[in-house]
Amino acid sequence: LDVMYQRLRDLREDNDLTQKQIATYLSFTHSAYAKIERGERILSAEVLIKLSNLYNVSIDYLLGLTDFPHRIKNNIKFRRKSSRYQVI
């Protein structure tokens, strides 16, 4: 999870935003958001979704599960083939 906190800081700085601006966006105090970037506060799913939307990156990227920041598009289609489904 250390990767997550560093990514949050990097994304904020890359977007020229302050901790106070992000705190306001999340309806947190400045000190509460600063604790997030220091890894002293656990993030809820709701906050992860908001940050993912703000920075337009995947939650997997925020969590450090992938180094690929882009979201997968929702245009995967499935075709039923007999009793199983396959990706087309």
Side-chain angles (χ1 to χ4, degrees):
L1 288 178
D2 291 337
V3 172
M4 177 180 72
Y5 302 112
Q6 185 61 49
R7 285 197 173 159
L8 290 174
R9 181 178 179 173
D10 291 343
L11 285 165
R12 178 180 56 76
E13 291 175 347
D14 290 348
N15 286 277
D16 296 320
L17 297 167
T18 65
Q19 285 185 339
K20 188 172 183 178
Q21 288 172 310
I22 302 302
T24 300
Y25 173 76
L26 297 173
S27 300
F28 288 172
T29 64
H30 177 224
S31 63
Y33 183 75
K35 287 180 181 180
I36 289 171
E37 284 193 5
R38 290 195 305 265
E40 297 172 6
R41 183 172 174 171
I42 304 287
L43 295 178
S44 68
E46 180 183 352
V47 171
L48 283 170
I49 291 168
K50 284 183 178 182
L51 291 169
S52 171
N53 289 334
L54 175 67
Y55 297 125
N56 197 30
V57 296
S58 70
I59 291 175
D60 284 351
Y61 179 75
L62 288 179
L63 293 173
L65 300 175
T66 181
D67 291 329
F68 184 70
H70 305 293
R71 295 176 177 180
I72 296 174
K73 294 190 168 85
N74 291 333
N75 57 0
I76 297 174
K77 296 181 181 173
F78 294 92
R79 177 176 59 196
R80 186 169 184 173
K81 187 174 183 178
S82 63
S83 63
R84 297 186 304 169
Y85 288 88
Q86 70 182 56
V87 177
I88 56 171

